[in-house]
Amino acid sequence: MEFDSEDAAKEFYDDYARHLGFVMRIDQCRRSEVDKRILSRRLSCNKQGYYVKMKDQYGPVRKPRSSTREGCKAMMLVKVNKSGKWVVTRFVKDHTHPLVASSRTCRTAMDHKDRKIQELTLELERQDKLCNLYHEQIITFLQSVEEETGLLSTKIEAAVKNVMEMEAEAKQQSNLQQAHLQ
């Protein structure tokens, strides 16, 4: 099968999953090392694989829960081809668990997650713009400080030169007075 976009492939597999009686999970992806765009995506049954507890690597576990993973192998792998189309390159149909047909027409849990992701993405974009603005302001400030430092340096050099000339002149007058007194 071929899809126009990654989202179209996700939508198809989600509809397929809902029809058959399992929940789709958006699984691994492979990205380009050049521009970081997604080159392939694996869409799986939510019971795919087994839960591996991370040893408090990311902080304490908030609420211990039983794992819903059962090692199911059902999945669909889609890759983007040279023409930009997303093509199914691997499909595993068989599940290792019973399927439960669902009459649900919407994915409220996923919708909630999608909304949260969208909110966080917008906040991240807003913070990124704010960081860029602060960066520009800091650069402008540093350039201003550099210019003022240059002007101040020139003024200090002139003042030091004037003081040295005045000291030399005062010394010369002192020497003339001493020579005059002798």
Side-chain angles (χ1 to χ4, degrees), residues 1-6 9 30 32 35 37-41 77-89:
M1 288 185 77
E2 193 174 83
F3 302 96
D4 290 332
S5 67
E6 178 188 3
R30 189 171 66 83
S32 165
D35 59 5
R37 67 186 172 94
I38 296 175
L39 300 175
S40 69
R41 170 72 71 187
L77 180 67
V78 289
K79 292 182 180 180
V80 66
N81 63 17
K82 291 180 182 177
S83 67
K85 298 279 188 179
W86 287 79
V87 180
V88 176
T89 58

Side-chain angles (χ1 to χ4, degrees), residues 74-150:
M75 57 82 86
M76 180 173 85
L77 180 67
V78 289
K79 292 182 180 180
V80 66
N81 63 17
K82 291 180 182 177
S83 67
K85 298 279 188 179
W86 287 79
V87 180
V88 176
T89 58
R90 189 163 173 227
F91 182 78
V92 177
K93 180 180 177 182
D94 297 326
H95 292 264
T96 59
H97 55 92
L99 301 176
V100 180
S102 173
S103 60
R104 66 186 176 122
T105 56
C106 65
R107 306 177 327 177
T108 55
M110 238 7 209
D111 289 343
H112 173 72
K113 289 178 185 177
D114 288 342
R115 274 195 304 277
K116 188 68 176 175
I117 288 169
Q118 188 176 25
E119 288 172 16
L120 291 172
T121 301
L122 290 172
E123 178 63 18
L124 183 63
E125 288 172 0
R126 192 180 70 75
Q127 291 295 331
D128 192 38
K129 287 178 183 175
L130 195 58
C131 283
N132 287 336
L133 178 67
Y134 289 154
H135 182 263
E136 289 173 12
Q137 288 177 343
I138 289 171
I139 295 297
T140 302
F141 174 75
L142 290 175
Q143 288 171 343
S144 174
V145 166
E146 192 174 322
E147 289 172 10
E148 290 299 319
T149 302

Side-chain angles (χ1 to χ4, degrees), residues 13-26:
Y13 197 66
D14 187 47
D15 289 343
Y16 170 78
R18 206 174 313 131
H19 179 73
L20 245 60
F22 69 98
V23 177
M24 176 193 75
R25 182 162 69 102
I26 298 171

Side-chain angles (χ1 to χ4, degrees), residues 157-170:
E157 285 177 14
V160 167
K161 183 179 175 185
N162 288 340
V163 168
M164 290 174 70
E165 288 174 358
M166 289 173 68
E167 285 177 348
E169 193 176 303

